């Protein structure tokens, strides 16, 4: 029995040691390479550290076995140990992904999942999960959920801001099943029963404004965003647009390659788009690979929720003189994560690099200052849902492009 107990502890520790020996998501999370096809097998070269942790956990296990009243779930203990170990890094962007959650996580990254169709952020002020926006045509939009709504409960379970991952997993589910979401909107408590559907996460939207100004908006970078952006641009370009507004407000990022591909449509061939710097201070330079297909005045709209891959795109085009930025300072997430699939089917999203703009400006913790700083009117109650007529940032961009 004692030998079996020690074996369980050792097995747990070997799984925990993953973080030491593996050398990114948006989201939510900025992803550069988002999946490793060949699982990673772990071998240890830090035996003393492993033994020390194993000894500590073994002592705790002896206390649990001796005193704990309830039933012991070995799998839950293992998952909790690994998750806690990774959280000990203190990096909000590095996280352990269980085998059970890995498939859903990758589906989200690719831009497809079964759910209700909302983007969520943590609202520290109210310690709640906030609806950043609803996806057009989604079940959430159809029932009336709005940007700015605070999620109180999901299927009767209350969630705080730090519970966002768990809440998100419970909102998702099998296609055709129902989920009950309770939200707070101002002083109103509202309850919705919503049928889950397969949702295309990121839809690139375009339109033509007055004075032949094109407008393109999207809320994240998934595996088809660059191609969708190109298609939408070509559609409105055929209608004679003379300039373009790219709206990156409330765009939390995603796959970095997609942001670089969009930048490539606009930047001159061989222009530096991005510097990536790893833990050894080694630089990798990303350059535009092709001649530009978009040659017109461009303005990029930004705000405090413009993050990660969005900041890469805005920063690159701003530094290269290919676009002006209008709005407010961006979020300031300047690190890149990589998602690695491990041999047991679980995953690790780990921060591997920091990125810099073409002028080598730091973004992480700083953000990108707009060329024209324009605040929304104080009278706007919900800045996540603004009418064009009240949108001072959009109106300033239009004025600059006339």
């Amino acid at each position: 029995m004692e030998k079996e107990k020690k074996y369980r502890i050792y097995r747990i520790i070997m799984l925990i040691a993953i973080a030491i020996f593996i050398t990114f998501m948006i989201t939510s999370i900025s992803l550069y390479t988002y999946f490793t096809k060949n699982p990673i097998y772990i071998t240890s070269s830090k035996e003393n550290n492993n033994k020390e942790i194993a000894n500590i956990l073994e002592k705790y296990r002896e206390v649990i076995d001796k005193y704990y009243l309830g039933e012991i779930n070995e799998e839950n203990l293992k998952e909790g140990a690994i998750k806690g170990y990774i959280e000990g890094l203190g990096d909000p962007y590095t996280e352990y992904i269980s085998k059970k959650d890995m498939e859903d996580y990758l589906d989200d990254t690719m831009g497809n999942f079964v759910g209700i169709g909302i983007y969520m952020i943590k609202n520290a002020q109210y310690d709640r999960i906030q609806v950043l926006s609803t996806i057009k045509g989604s079940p959430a939009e159809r029932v009336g959920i709005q940007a700015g709504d605070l999620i109180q409960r999901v299927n009767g379970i209350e969630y705080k801001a730090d519970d966002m991952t768990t809440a998100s997993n419970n909102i998702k589910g099998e296609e055709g099943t129902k989920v009950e979401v309770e939200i707070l909107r101002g002083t109103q408590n509202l309850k919705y029963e919503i049928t889950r559907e397969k949702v295309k996460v990121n839809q690139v939207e375009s339109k033509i404004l007055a004075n032949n100004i094109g407008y393109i908006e999207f809320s994240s970078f998934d595996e088809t965003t660059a191609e969708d952006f190109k298609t939408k641009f070509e559609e409105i370009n055929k209608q004679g647009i003379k300039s373009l507004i790219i709206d990156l407000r409330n765009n939390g990022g995603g796959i970095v390659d997609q942001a670089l591909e969009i930048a490539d449509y606009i930047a001159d061939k061989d222009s530096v788009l991005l510097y990536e710097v790893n833990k050894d201070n080694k630089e990798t330079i990303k350059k535009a690979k092709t001649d530009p297909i978009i040659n017109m005045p461009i303005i990029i709209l930004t705000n405090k929720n413009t993050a990660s891959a969005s900041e890469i795109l805005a920063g690159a085009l701003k530094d290269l003189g290919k676009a002006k930025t209008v709005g407010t300072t961006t979020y300031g997430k300047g690190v890149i994560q990589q998602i690695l699939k491990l041999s047991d089917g679980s995953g690790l999203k780990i921060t591997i690099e920091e990125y810099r703009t073409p002028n080598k400006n730091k973004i992480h913790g700083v953000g990108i200052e707009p060329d024209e700083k324009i605040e929304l009117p104080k009278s706007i109650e919900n800045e996540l849902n603004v009418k064009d007529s009240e949108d001072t940032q959009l109106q300033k961009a239009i004025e600059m492009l006339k």
Side-chain angles (χ1 to χ4, degrees):
M1 179 67 183
E2 184 68 16
K3 186 177 180 180
E4 291 178 357
K5 186 192 305 180
K6 287 183 177 180
Y7 173 74
R8 288 198 302 268
I9 296 294
Y10 180 76
R11 183 166 58 90
I12 291 171
I13 297 306
M14 286 306 295
L15 287 166
I16 293 174
I18 287 165
I20 299 175
F21 308 110
I22 295 177
T23 57
F24 57 93
M25 211 175 185
I26 225 173
T27 328
S28 145
I29 304 117
S30 173
L31 305 174
Y32 179 61
T33 53
Y34 53 85
F35 187 61
T36 296
K37 291 183 179 178
N38 298 316
I40 294 173
Y41 294 86
I42 306 303
T43 58
S44 174
S45 61
K46 298 198 176 182
E47 186 175 349
N48 290 336
N49 284 343
N50 290 340
K51 283 183 177 179
E52 181 181 355
I53 299 172
N55 289 336
I56 293 171
L57 280 184
E58 186 172 353
K59 290 176 182 178
Y60 277 103
R61 182 55 189 260
E62 288 172 358
V63 173
I64 290 170
D65 286 341
K66 184 174 181 179
Y67 295 106
Y68 182 60
L69 178 63
E71 292 186 9
I72 297 173
N73 185 308
E74 298 291 344
E75 189 65 24
N76 288 347
L77 281 180
K78 183 188 79 172
E79 295 282 328
I82 300 171
K83 183 178 179 182
Y85 188 80
I86 301 304
E87 287 178 352
L89 293 172
D91 179 6
Y93 307 117
T94 294
E95 63 177 306
Y96 167 73
I97 309 163
S98 69
K99 179 180 179 180
K100 181 182 70 173
D101 294 334
M102 189 63 173
E103 184 176 348
D104 286 343
Y105 201 101
L106 292 173
D107 283 344
D108 289 356
T109 303
M110 300 299 188
N112 298 280
F113 71 98
V114 174
I116 64 174
I118 58 174
Y119 295 107
M120 302 184 297
I121 57 174
K122 296 178 182 180
N123 187 313
Q125 180 182 356
Y126 296 102
D127 193 23
R128 290 291 180 185
I129 302 160
Q130 185 174 32
V131 178
L132 178 63
S133 63
T134 58
I135 296 170
K136 292 185 179 180
S138 67
E141 184 192 52
R142 293 199 300 269
V143 301
I145 287 182
Q146 299 177 10
D149 288 346
L150 298 174
I151 295 176
Q152 305 274 69
R153 295 176 183 81
V154 177
N155 287 333
I157 301 173
E158 185 174 0
Y159 292 103
K160 301 292 187 180
D162 286 340
D163 302 323
M164 189 166 73
T165 299
T166 304
S168 174
N169 289 336
N170 288 336
I171 288 172
K172 291 181 289 187
E174 292 185 12
E175 189 172 8
T177 60
K178 296 183 183 297
V179 60
E180 185 179 84
V181 180
E182 297 178 47
I183 62 102
L184 178 66
R185 181 182 302 156
T187 58
Q188 289 182 293
N189 283 286
L190 303 172
K191 186 182 294 186
Y192 297 95
E193 187 177 73
I194 310 169
T195 301
R196 299 179 177 99
E197 296 179 4
K198 186 171 287 187
V199 178
K200 168 66 175 171
V201 175
N202 182 39
Q203 298 182 19
V204 179
E205 301 290 339
S206 66
K207 59 185 176 182
I208 299 178
L209 306 174
N211 302 297
N212 294 317
I213 298 172
Y215 174 92
I216 298 179
E217 176 189 22
F218 49 99
S219 52
S220 68
F221 292 82
D222 65 35
E223 64 175 352
T224 66
T225 299
E227 187 61 34
D228 293 344
F229 176 93
K230 182 181 178 182
T231 299
K232 290 295 184 181
F233 171 76
E234 290 172 344
E235 287 176 359
I236 58 177
N237 193 41
K238 288 177 182 177
Q239 300 178 56
I241 63 170
K242 303 298 182 184
S243 56
L244 179 65
I245 294 172
I246 301 174
D247 195 342
L248 296 180
R249 293 175 297 180
N250 306 317
N251 186 318
I255 301 174
V256 172
D257 281 346
Q258 296 293 305
L260 293 175
E261 192 170 337
I262 293 174
D264 207 335
Y265 297 153
I266 301 166
D268 296 330
K269 186 177 180 180
D270 294 326
S271 297
V272 173
L273 302 177
L274 180 70
Y275 291 97
E276 299 168 358
V277 185
N278 68 11
K279 65 185 298 180
D280 298 320
N281 215 30
K282 181 182 177 182
E283 284 185 349
T284 301
I285 302 173
K286 298 294 182 179
K287 295 184 178 182
K289 300 174 183 177
T290 59
D291 292 322
I293 62 172
I294 301 176
N295 293 286
M296 60 180 59
I298 297 172
I299 288 181
I300 295 176
L301 297 178
T302 65
N303 67 3
K304 64 183 180 182
N305 295 320
T306 301
S308 197
S310 294
E311 293 173 290
I312 288 177
L313 177 58
L317 297 182
K318 178 185 178 183
D319 279 9
L320 294 172
K322 293 296 183 178
K324 294 288 186 181
T325 52
V326 172
T328 56
T329 305
T330 62
Y331 183 84
K333 181 183 182 293
V335 288
I336 295 173
Q337 286 72 47
Q338 185 171 16
I339 297 180
L340 303 170
K341 183 178 180 181
L342 306 179
S343 55
D344 67 347
S346 64
L348 182 67
K349 186 183 77 170
I350 184 170
T351 300
I352 58 169
E353 292 174 317
E354 182 174 4
Y355 56 75
R356 308 282 170 85
T357 69
N359 289 344
K360 294 198 171 182
N361 292 323
K362 179 183 175 70
I363 292 176
H364 196 61
V366 179
I368 296 172
E369 292 284 341
D371 295 305
E372 293 283 343
K373 187 172 183 179
I374 304 292
E375 301 278 356
L376 292 174
K378 293 182 180 179
S379 59
I380 291 178
E381 296 180 0
N382 180 8
E383 65 180 60
L384 301 175
N385 189 15
V386 184
K387 296 178 181 178
D388 285 359
S389 59
E390 299 174 339
D391 191 340
T392 50
Q393 295 164 343
L394 176 63
Q395 295 305 321
K396 179 63 176 179
I398 293 172
E399 177 188 323
M400 291 170 64
L401 290 173
K402 282 182 180 179

